[in-house]
Amino acid sequence: MTFADPTLSDDLIKEGTDASFMTDVVEASKTQPVIVDFWATWCGPCRTLGPALEKAVRAAKGAVKMVKIDVDANPAYAGQLRVQSIPTVYAFVNGQPVDGFQGAIPDSQIKAFIDKLTGGEGGSTETAQLLELGEESLSLNDMGGAAQAFAHVLSIEPENEKAIAGMARVYLAGGDREQALQTIAMAPQDSKEPAVQSVRAQLALSANAPAGGSAELEAKVAADPNDHQARFDLAEAQSAAGDFKGAVDNLLHIVKADREWNDQAARKQLLTIFEAAGLTSDVSRDGRRRLSSILFS
């Protein structure tokens, strides 16, 4: 079943697949916002939300595109994005998920969602520019500039979850874990905002870091490469320090050697790291590819 209007251009609303996801969503969103509707034929609320979304996308007159993903036929990216119920909608910009919601919502909220994404009536160009400035400052390790940009957004929109997550990341980068915890607590506990989930995953990783540095653990792993517990502890220490690539390498080593070790602890820890690093980051993309290669080989 499809909710798409057959008279509508395929360039605006289309049925997507796992195979076409990178092209239809990730790459396409680098030039124009893309809304992804995860749905299924048996889902009642999907029958309500789907047509409403399509109507709103058409009303935006080309400012946004829409891709529909049947999760039964295409489970891969739904799993990677941790879609736990449907319908779930994500908005992608510049190759990354930036906003989303679950369940059928009223037309007014759909319009506000699209306006926010496209800078329309319900969106704020100033806010979007400040968030972009904050992200750029973080990437340049300019914590002062990032803090100023995110704080400015919060002065305009105190409940802006991207800005809340941004401020928490500033505190994390400065080593102030307690302030990061207090800041991210400003976001709703059930927030689906990817930036919020990423920070919470980073905080969970830092909370589980073993005592002491990595040097002793590295020595233990070098002495016995099959010491999975030592390698797992080393991965925890690396992820807590922000070395996601090193942690992923060690966890994949465990999964390859014994995927069932400690109730699949290595695979579960990998999923947390992918979330902390950002689901569309190079570390996560490469890690997911390598994990799939191991699990399905």
Side-chain angles (χ1 to χ4, degrees), residues 138-219:
L138 275 175
S139 69
L140 297 174
N141 205 34
D142 176 12
M143 296 304 144
Q148 185 175 9
F150 292 130
H152 193 167
V153 173
L154 291 173
S155 71
I156 302 170
E157 300 177 14
E159 297 181 356
N160 188 294
E161 295 182 27
K162 293 185 180 65
I164 291 171
M167 285 298 297
R169 288 165 60 198
V170 170
Y171 289 123
L172 268 177
D176 193 342
R177 185 174 184 278
E178 288 305 314
Q179 190 61 52
L181 280 167
Q182 292 179 28
T183 301
I184 204 64
M186 296 166 56
Q189 190 60 39
D190 60 351
S191 171
K192 302 302 180 184
E193 165 57 48
V196 171
Q197 294 179 333
S198 174
V199 170
R200 287 177 172 158
Q202 291 178 54
L203 287 165
L205 290 171
S206 64
N208 294 327
S214 300
E216 181 180 348
L217 293 169
E218 289 173 350

Side-chain angles (χ1 to χ4, degrees), residues 23-246:
T23 299
D24 291 344
V25 178
V26 176
E27 293 302 323
S29 72
K30 293 179 180 179
T31 57
Q32 183 178 22
V34 177
I35 292 174
V36 184
D37 176 21
F38 290 100
W39 67 290
T41 56
W42 48 263
C43 167
C46 298
R47 299 172 185 271
T48 300
L49 181 65
L53 274 172
E54 293 183 11
K55 179 181 178 181
V57 168
R58 288 194 290 270
K61 298 180 180 179
V64 62
K65 292 183 178 181
M66 177 177 169
V67 175
K68 300 178 64 62
I69 304 288
D70 181 340
V71 298
D72 287 339
N74 304 278
Y77 282 96
Q80 290 176 17
L81 289 167
R82 297 196 173 186
V83 173
Q84 297 179 342
S85 64
I86 53 173
T88 288
V89 175
Y90 275 102
F92 278 72
V93 174
N94 293 326
Q96 299 184 6
V98 298
D99 206 351
F101 62 86
Q102 289 183 332
I105 61 175
D107 290 352
S108 59
Q109 292 185 30
I110 293 175
K111 183 178 184 303
F113 177 77
I114 292 179
D115 283 343
K116 179 181 178 183
L117 183 63
T118 62
E121 295 176 12
S124 169
T125 301
E126 180 183 9
T127 295
Q129 291 174 341
L130 286 167
L131 288 171
E132 184 177 352
L133 176 60
E135 292 295 332
E136 182 180 2
S137 297
L138 275 175
S139 69
L140 297 174
N141 205 34
D142 176 12
M143 296 304 144
Q148 185 175 9
F150 292 130
H152 193 167
V153 173
L154 291 173
S155 71
I156 302 170
E157 300 177 14
E159 297 181 356
N160 188 294
E161 295 182 27
K162 293 185 180 65
I164 291 171
M167 285 298 297
R169 288 165 60 198
V170 170
Y171 289 123
L172 268 177
D176 193 342
R177 185 174 184 278
E178 288 305 314
Q179 190 61 52
L181 280 167
Q182 292 179 28
T183 301
I184 204 64
M186 296 166 56
Q189 190 60 39
D190 60 351
S191 171
K192 302 302 180 184
E193 165 57 48
V196 171
Q197 294 179 333
S198 174
V199 170
R200 287 177 172 158
Q202 291 178 54
L203 287 165
L205 290 171
S206 64
N208 294 327
S214 300
E216 181 180 348
L217 293 169
E218 289 173 350
K220 290 180 69 174
V221 171
D224 182 4
N226 294 318
D227 186 342
H228 295 333
Q229 187 61 58
R231 191 179 291 275
F232 185 85
D233 291 344
L234 174 58
E236 285 196 319
Q238 290 172 320
S239 61
D243 181 10
F244 295 134
K245 183 180 184 303

